[in-house]
């Protein structure tokens, strides 16, 4: 059992680090912008299915903290020590907040999984947007700054609307992966699992929303 827990921990942390790398690569100077729509999926899967329950928050801590470390790398090199350690602080806070997610979604049957994840991330963007130290740096929407065909509805819904769209896609895809994993294994009676029907419904809703956004953007271009 100890070996199994150790392997799950190692794999889960690896998936979280992968998310940090994917999200970082979506931004300058790499500009692999499509990755912003899928970058959080490995982290979320690690949080809810791979890491032991008591360590689930580490997935968010490593994923979010790793992204900020990659995004801000070198920016605060000559700053005060507390600025250089900012990604570690952010990762620690993210781990504490994310540690409660798994139990909540299992208790509510994953009913709020997509909305909760997307709105929480964008809500935090709104809060930190007013903090002079980090401001709007690293907003999910900013990875798409070179895609005029995609970002025109920002004139109507604002940058937070685009960030919300990006996060909805990430969490809908993550819910789909969780549903696939639950279908392939044989959970114990009463063990919380993601309904395939619920996952398909969310994927359809978010897919239609994304298509409508792109259509509106092309119209406004």
């Amino acid at each position: 059992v100890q070996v199994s827990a150790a392997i799950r921990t190692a794999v889960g942390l690896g998936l979280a680090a992968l998310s940090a790398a994917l999200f970082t690569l979506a931004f300058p100077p790499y500009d692999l912008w499509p990755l912003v729509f899928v970058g959080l999926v490995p982290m979320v899967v690690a949080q809810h299915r791979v890491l032991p329950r008591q360590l689930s928050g580490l997935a968010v801590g490593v994923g979010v903290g790793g992204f900020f470390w990659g995004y801000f790398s070198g920016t605060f090199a000559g700053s005060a020590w507390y600025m250089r350690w900012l990604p570690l602080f952010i990762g620690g806070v993210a781990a504490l907040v994310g540690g409660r997610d798994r139990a909540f979604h299992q208790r509510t049957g994953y009913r709020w999984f997509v909305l909760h994840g997307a709105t929480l991330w964008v809500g935090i963007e709104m809060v930190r947007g007013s903090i002079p130290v980090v401001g709007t740096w690293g907003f999910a929407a900013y990875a798409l700054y070179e895609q005029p065909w995609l970002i025109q509805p920002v004139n109507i819904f604002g940058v937070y609307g685009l960030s919300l769209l990006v996060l909805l896609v990430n969490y809908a895809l993550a819910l789909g992966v969780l549903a696939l994993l639950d279908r392939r294994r044989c959970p114990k009676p009463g063990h919380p699992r993601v309904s395939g029907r619920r996952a398909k419904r969310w994927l359809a809703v978010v897919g239609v929303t994304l298509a409508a956004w792109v259509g509106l953007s092309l119209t406004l271009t």
Side-chain angles (χ1 to χ4, degrees):
V1 175
Q2 292 180 346
V3 174
S4 176
I7 293 174
R8 288 173 59 193
T9 300
V11 173
L13 293 179
L15 288 172
L18 175 60
S19 274
L22 293 176
F23 233 58
T24 300
L25 290 172
F27 289 81
Y30 313 103
D31 289 325
L32 300 178
W33 63 269
L35 295 179
V36 79
F37 287 100
V38 300
L40 297 183
V41 174
M43 178 192 78
V44 177
V45 171
Q47 178 188 13
H48 290 275
R49 286 296 180 275
V50 182
L51 282 169
R53 184 192 302 269
Q54 64 272 23
L55 300 178
S56 62
L58 287 179
V60 187
V62 171
V64 174
F67 162 61
F68 272 84
W69 177 81
Y71 185 83
F72 288 105
S73 59
T75 303
F76 300 130
S79 304
W81 67 269
Y82 55 85
M83 292 300 296
R84 295 195 301 271
W85 288 95
L86 184 62
L88 182 62
F89 171 76
I90 292 173
V93 173
L96 290 175
V97 174
R100 301 183 178 185
D101 287 354
R102 186 159 160 177
F104 169 74
H105 291 303
Q106 288 182 342
R107 192 167 58 248
T108 57
Y110 298 88
R111 185 176 296 107
W112 309 107
F113 184 85
V114 177
L115 280 180
H116 174 268
T119 55
L120 178 62
W121 183 287
V122 176
I124 292 173
E125 282 192 352
M126 290 180 175
V127 172
R128 71 181 183 84
S130 62
I131 301 175
V133 175
V134 291
T136 61
W137 289 19
F139 275 19
Y142 284 9
L144 306 172
Y145 75 103
E146 286 189 326
Q147 311 305 317
W149 63 275
L150 184 56
I151 64 175
Q152 297 307 312
V154 166
N155 293 323
I156 302 172
F157 301 104
V159 67
Y160 296 115
L162 182 53
S163 281
L164 182 62
L165 177 68
V166 170
L167 271 297
L168 286 172
V169 173
N170 271 276
Y171 276 89
L173 290 173
L175 188 67
V177 174
L178 295 184
L180 284 175
L181 291 175
D182 286 351
R183 188 175 67 179
R184 290 174 176 271
R185 65 180 184 173
C186 298
K188 299 177 182 179
H191 188 280
R193 58 182 297 171
V194 176
S195 163
R197 182 177 300 177
R198 186 185 303 280
K200 290 177 181 178
R201 185 163 58 244
W202 269 112
L203 286 168
V205 169
V206 173
V208 169
T209 303
L210 177 60
W213 178 285
V214 173
L216 178 60
S217 186
L218 293 174
T219 301
L220 296 173
T221 300

